Amino acid sequence: MAIPGLAIKSFRNRKFTTGLTVLSIALSVMLLLGIEKIRQGAETGFTNTVSGTDLIVGARSSPTQLLLYSVFHIGNPTNNISWESYEEITANPQVKWAIPISLGDSHKGYRVVGTTTQFYENFRFAGGKHLQLEQGEWFGKIDDAAVGAEVADEFGYRTGDKIVIAHGGGDESFIVHTDKPFKVAGILKRTGTPVDRAVYVGLKSIDALHQDFQGGEHDHDPLVAHDEHGDSGEQGGLSAILLGLQSRSAAISVQRTINEHDHEPLTAIMPGVVLLEVWQMMGMVERLLMIVSGFVVAVGLFSMLIILMTSLNERRREMAILRSVGARPAHVFVLIMGEAVFLTLLAIVIGVAMVYGLMLLLQPWLESMYGLYVDISLPTITELTLLGIIAVCGFFVGLIPGIRIYRYALADGMTIRV
Amino acid sequence: MPEEAPVIEISNLRFAWKKRVEPVLSIASLQVNRGERVFLRGPSGSGKSSLLNLLAGVALPQSGRLKVLGQDMTALSSAQRDHFRAHHIGFIFQMFNLIPYLSVVENVTLPCRFSKKRKHKVLAQADSQQDEAIRLLGHLDMAQADVLHKPVSELSVGQQQRVAAARALIGSPELVIADEPTSSLDADRRTAFIDLLFRECDSANATLIFVSHDNSLVAPFERTIEFHELNHAASNQQPMLKAVT
Ligand SMILES: Nc1ncnc2c1ncn2[C@@H]1O[C@H](COP(=O)(O)OP(=O)(O)O)[C@@H](O)[C@H]1O
Ligand SMILES: [Mg+2]
């Protein structure tokens, strides 16, 4: 057919302006797809923060709050769980393992998590991955600490370094236990989860610090003082407990038992469920981003419309010439229309290529810096739908000048009107 | 037989661009025979181009008979008329005849994209469309490599009109229509261009309708039609008088 060849030649003739339009649409396609890819990555990353934990238990509070402070280290527990409750819960035969967590201290702005070896052994993330050590070992002694990857990176910690822990969260912690420094025993491998942004010490060590602070016996040898308390660590109570059950299906009944616990009001949540709820709450932001990039695409298409419309008048002459050699008004319509569709498709192809190029380039960096894993795979249905919508929009954008030139062709005949 | 039929046969034709507007054309009768070279003379705005639009089948008369190459144009659908034009008519405009994004040769072979018939005629004579285009351009003194490979926008107006002539002639259409093709050329180029046109129409055995308002070009034509004598539409009568009243 005569027309596609002409359309491509006409496009090549105006390659600079049309090239710029194609580029601007391609960039907006890239933005839209990129945001979608990052959103998917963030969602998997987010829902991957805990896995294999069947229940999280805390003092009575909202499920979201409990999830946020126990897993994401955001906010603080209003109350602690008593040691008795911990023992009662772990006595349930359904409970396979339990990770006690005690919060309330910090190290240079990062959370300090008091816990046990249970944490290292049983905490899992991203579909069942275990924690691993980059260097050294999980804390064994009372003054040992294990640090998350991001903390270690930020301050350049190596095993054997001394770090100091402050009472209270954040930077404005009021008491700094300079007299009782911890030794970095191990550095965790990066996980891309909040685990990277915390320092882990033994429960007993935390209690020792606090005991010391309350007693004000600074001249005492802290280690000796702690040994006297034995293994119980009962003083401070716990902020949260992560539970693994014998079988997943028991989660609901165990949850109910804990929620109806007599001694103190407790809340047990299934992390997967609450994670999803929180993610949907944040969906607002994500939708906003999509809307913004949708507008960017619209602007790109609009600039194509402007280019096509402004070139239309000068192309009326071309249309008269084509008519004189036998072109039908429909040919002339297809020529303009085809150009819009061709430009849009070209922009989509370039945009998609740019997204994949960027992902190949940035994937390792995004993963190591932000723990954001973007999956380089074939476009998902959502992405294909987005691209389809753009293509259809390009088609409709082409219709406008197409219909106009069709009318011109009928009205002008072969009269060349300038 | 169509071979013997007149190239143009018009009787009692009336035409207006829009329904309620005064007609621009009202022609009692016109006949042009095969091989004739006709000079159609009239002031601008008198409706010459409108008539050419009818001959080419781009517009249809409101009433009357219009036959081109024996074919009743009013009996054809618009698609059929477009095909008819592609097959049988070569057209040269006053200026801006060329598609800016096509090369010289591509401009010349353009009609072959829209008419298989003309393409086949070309290929019966030459090895390829390009060869035929270059042969025609050669006749018009336009086949030098530097001219062939220039972007068409860099050609002089005279060169552009010669490319347009080659395009009108490729595939030997029966009817060549030139709508003031020389009005953008200077005087000595005009006669040269008309000579070229005559020679090529002769060798292609084509009928030529040449439109102009320029009296100085009449000489070589065997037949001259004064447009105001042909066209009796009110708007065409005494344009000077009309301007006064
Ligand atoms: N495509 C068109 N649509 C509407 N009116 C037209 C068109 N072409 C020509 N006309 C009108 O028809 C009249 C005759 O114009 P035209 O045929 O171009 O005369 P000429 O070629 O003799 O200068 C003019 O009034 C002109 O405005
Ligand atoms: Mg005219």
Side-chain angles (χ1 to χ4, degrees), chain A residues 199-211:
Chain A
V199 172
Y200 299 85
V201 298
L203 267 182
K204 285 179 284 178
S205 323
I206 294 257
D207 284 339
L209 282 176
H210 297 173
Q211 197 58 40

Side-chain angles (χ1 to χ4, degrees), chain A residues 146-263:
Chain A
V147 292
E150 190 176 321
V151 182
D153 271 5
E154 166 116 16
F155 304 113
Y157 290 147
R158 326 222 39 150
T159 43
D161 286 354
K162 293 266 188 270
I163 61 172
V164 163
I165 281 169
H167 189 63
D171 286 325
E172 66 286 350
S173 353
F174 33 98
I175 309 230
V176 181
H177 305 285
T178 34
D179 58 329
K180 255 189 225 167
F182 282 77
K183 191 177 101 255
V184 175
I187 292 170
L188 291 166
K189 270 218 173 91
R190 201 172 269 281
T191 63
T193 73
V195 169
D196 300 345
R197 294 190 293 277
V199 172
Y200 299 85
V201 298
L203 267 182
K204 285 179 284 178
S205 323
I206 294 257
D207 284 339
L209 282 176
H210 297 173
Q211 197 58 40
D212 207 27
F213 160 62
Q214 281 153 7
E217 298 169 12
H218 282 270
D219 4 343
H220 246 63
D221 181 352
L223 294 181
V224 174
H226 278 290
D227 281 352
E228 285 166 3
H229 290 299
D231 282 355
S232 70
E234 67 230 27
Q235 282 75 21
L238 298 169
S239 306
I241 311 164
L242 310 189
L243 294 181
L245 302 180
Q246 300 293 354
S247 98
R248 256 214 141 136
S249 52
I252 292 182
S253 74
V254 177
Q255 184 184 31
R256 187 175 318 118
T257 318
I258 295 170
N259 283 338
E260 289 163 2
H261 188 77
D262 297 331
H263 297 318

Side-chain angles (χ1 to χ4, degrees), chain A residues 415, chain B residues 44-45 47-50 52 94 179-180 211:
Chain A
T415 320
Chain B
S44 84
K48 303 183 299 296
S49 297
S50 302
L52 302 185
Q94 177 176 351
D179 192 356
E180 315 205 31
V211 170

